[in-house]
Amino acid sequence: MSPAEAGEPDRMYVLAAAGPFPWQPLVRSLAAHAVPGLETVEVTPSGAVLTRLWPAPGGPVLAQIGIGAPDGVSVSLNGGRQENDAGCLGAVRSWLDLDADTHAVDTALAAFPRLAPLVERYPGLRIPGSVDGFETAVLTVLGQQVSLAAARTFAARLIAAYGTAGPGGLRTFPAPGELAAVAPADLQAAVRITGARAGSIHALAEAAAGGLELGRHSDWQAVRPALLALPGIGPWTADYLEVRAAGDRDAFIPGDLVLRRALGVATAKEASRLAEDWRPWRAYALFHLWTEAAYDVVPAPA
């Protein structure tokens, strides 16, 4: 029986955000990508509750994160050891970008006519990060060239087949070695994806199991070419992981179709040229444009 099932009391914390914290676009982005079985995003009248398992020494911790205050989030942890909570809380801060240098970002981006109204609408906009780089990489590959709904369906099948059951009725994401041990044909059958996509995930799992690290402190000058050498992983995926998993605030995804439409350009080269002056905050500019296109909050009629 898990600590949560045994009725162990939750450990409660409050994490303050640096600067303004417009949580609505962040919640909408996380909800759009939430994988059934791995995490839940419950929208409430006053905000949202994000629930998922977090890796920790001694076993996964069930974390419930309350979002809705303009200055930070509440965190409820159950399971694991209290002395390890600091690591989990630090990971939550990183995941929700609570330590963003909002003043520097907003001041820089507000100087550009295309971005100024977006910064005015959502000052302090945050970039959703990554709980685990390998998890984010696999989910990104599953989402290539398919709808968000299809990507969530594929990911849910992978979690059901290979995740480990934990507290709260959720599962942990399989470790690289666990997925590397699955034959591509078996992965294809379980997740119901193409053979090429299964081969890409298997190759990624083998690389990660062999030492390829996909976290914030990894050497991304070495990681990027290693990723691009894997079958089925191209510049878009590598760029996306530099934004999400590496946490590079100047990373950019010039080949993204939604971005190019937002900028009114036809090619990645044109998008890169337009964004050059946005350095070193191009990732925030990217999320402002994505928010405008997909994650904006339309006010309810009076």
Side-chain angles (χ1 to χ4, degrees), residues 147-209:
S147 68
L148 279 174
R152 289 194 302 269
T153 297
F154 293 149
R157 291 172 185 159
L158 185 145
I159 293 299
Y162 304 112
T164 301
L170 298 175
R171 290 176 172 267
T172 58
F173 198 84
E178 294 170 333
L179 273 190
V182 179
D186 293 337
L187 184 62
Q188 179 185 4
V191 184
R192 282 175 263 170
I193 51 178
T194 65
R197 189 62 48 85
S200 296
I201 292 173
H202 187 262
L204 176 61
E206 284 191 319

Side-chain angles (χ1 to χ4, degrees), residues 1-23:
M1 179 179 293
S2 72
E5 293 168 336
E8 178 181 301
D10 292 350
R11 303 184 296 278
M12 306 297 297
Y13 301 93
V14 175
L15 302 182
F21 183 57
W23 55 267

Side-chain angles (χ1 to χ4, degrees), residues 89-99 127-130 216 249:
L89 296 172
V92 171
R93 295 195 69 88
S94 175
W95 184 43
L96 301 181
D97 199 16
L98 295 181
D99 295 314
I127 297 175
S130 172
R216 277 181 170 263
R249 294 318 184 220

